[in-house]
Amino acid sequence: MAPNAVSDASTAFPSSNPKQHGQDIEAAAGRVDYLARAQWLRAAVLGANDGLVSVASLMIGVGAVNVGARAMLVSGLAGLVAGACSMAIGEFVSVYAQYDIQVAHSDRSRSGSDASGEEEEEEGLPSPTKAAAASALAFALGALLPLLSGGFVRPWGARVAAVCASTSLGLAGFGAAGAYLGGANVVRSGVRVLLGGWLAMAVTFALLKLFSLAFKMEVMSA
């Protein structure tokens, strides 16, 4: 019976050394902080990937109808601004809704629980403003890649090729980075994201090209 009693005591009281206990708390806090940073980084990578695919597909789609460099540049810029605003507003509303739900839950359970624990949960929630700014910035940074690589190239073929090439590199990089931060297979995730981006650009180009041929809307402006 004695060994069991000692084992139970050691389980209930992991360490009687205050210094060791403090080190355990610091280690746990470090793990929590690392996980929080990883989540923010992974969200930023996904936001940049959204900006990359959205603006590249938009520019390719416009290029199927209008061979002019100015039209693709303006469409890419419009997609960057509209997408960044949409991401920011959506993230702000989402985080604020999460915050309101947490506050309502805390108010209902505060009478029968530890108030300090509820306050820690509320403090753990991200700031809606910071989350919105981070989402908009990530989307804009991803969208800049196809916009700057192909928006100022004059020949139509070279412009489309530049957008596709830069987008492919960005997709592979963002896919690998997101997989690394999420603990997934880097190669498999990078290939999956790359194929998905190619599919989005191909579908957009094909549908807009068919639309322009059906309604004879192809524009030859510079």
Side-chain angles (χ1 to χ4, degrees), residues 87-101 126 128 131-132:
M87 291 286 289
I89 294 172
E91 192 69 16
F92 184 85
V93 172
S94 176
V95 174
Y96 231 116
Q98 181 184 0
Y99 182 82
D100 291 339
I101 293 173

Side-chain angles (χ1 to χ4, degrees), residues 11 13 29 31 91 121 127 133 162 174 197 199 206:
T11 303
F13 304 98
R31 286 194 297 269
E91 192 69 16
E121 289 183 7
S127 167
F174 289 146
L199 179 62

Side-chain angles (χ1 to χ4, degrees), residues 131-146:
S135 296
L137 180 61
F139 186 96
L141 290 176
L144 281 175
L145 188 58

